[in-house]
Amino acid sequence: MTWKTILAEQAKTHGQVTVADELGVSKTVVSQLINGKYPGDLTRMQALVEGAYMAKTVQCPIIGDIPLHQCDKYQRNTLTSHPTRLKLYRACRGGCPHSSQPVNKHFKPFEAKAPQAQMTPAYQAEATIGRLERQVRSDDGGLAQFVQLLKAELQSLAMRYNRLLAKGAAKGETDAS
């Protein structure tokens, strides 16, 4: 299935407004994409759909494996009040190979580091729930925002879990050789 077909199915199932919110675009953009009349950057739209609905990821130098649509969201972020957001802001504008942002010569140039063998840290469910609850309170959000944050956290967990499964399967293949 193509990304446009999947976009149309998601819009039909969940509504164009919901799909637009998940992709971080307007309802008009979703409608134009479905009807083949979108005048903007189709490459970006394809990456957003593939990240949100087709589980396509990229290796972020700051966070690790993230969906394509999250990478796009982080690139467009201008808030730097949190240490991780600041690191993302600088990496996205410092020459990260996944970024479409222009390189800012005032930032230290991005240097790809060789992946280090590391043990996956244990997941701290209670700490994560506490962090999400604090975020909702600080943003004056309600139940709907909390559900959205939990949904995003669950998607992140699923990606981590699937990555671990893939690593285990790859290791099993090399051991069997």
Side-chain angles (χ1 to χ4, degrees), residues 113-175:
K113 297 177 182 170
Q116 299 174 349
Q118 60 183 5
M119 196 168 168
T120 303
Y123 186 76
Q124 304 292 328
E126 292 301 319
T128 302
I129 291 168
R131 176 182 52 83
L132 296 175
E133 288 173 335
R134 285 189 304 278
Q135 185 175 346
V136 168
R137 280 194 304 270
S138 70
D139 294 345
D140 290 329
L143 183 60
Q145 182 188 10
F146 189 63
V147 168
Q148 287 298 328
L149 289 170
L150 285 173
K151 180 180 173 186
E153 183 66 22
L154 204 68
Q155 289 171 336
S156 173
L157 272 176
M159 281 190 305
R160 286 177 60 191
Y161 179 73
N162 290 334
R163 186 173 58 242
L164 287 171
L165 286 177
K167 283 182 184 178
K171 184 178 179 189
E173 289 173 8
T174 57
D175 290 346

Side-chain angles (χ1 to χ4, degrees), residues 28-121:
T28 304
V29 169
V30 173
S31 176
Q32 289 175 335
L33 286 167
I34 291 169
N35 294 313
K37 297 182 180 186
Y38 182 67
D41 184 2
L42 285 176
T43 305
R44 176 175 174 248
M45 294 301 116
Q46 179 177 353
L48 292 177
V49 172
E50 288 177 345
Y53 301 115
M54 300 170 75
K56 297 256 179 138
T57 62
V58 346
Q59 187 66 31
C60 174
I62 305 301
I63 300 176
D65 206 24
I66 59 171
L68 286 172
H69 70 293
Q70 283 291 65
C71 179
D72 183 78
K73 178 181 173 184
Y74 292 140
Q75 289 178 46
R76 295 175 189 292
N77 182 35
T78 57
L79 300 174
T80 58
S81 58
H82 188 276
T84 303
R85 287 183 180 166
L86 179 59
K87 287 178 186 177
L88 286 165
Y89 184 86
R90 288 182 175 201
C92 291
R93 286 154 184 81
C96 176
H98 307 296
S99 179
S100 61
Q101 296 295 315
V103 175
N104 185 328
K105 63 184 176 189
H106 298 291
F107 294 139
K108 181 179 170 183
F110 174 79
E111 296 175 17
K113 297 177 182 170
Q116 299 174 349
Q118 60 183 5
M119 196 168 168
T120 303

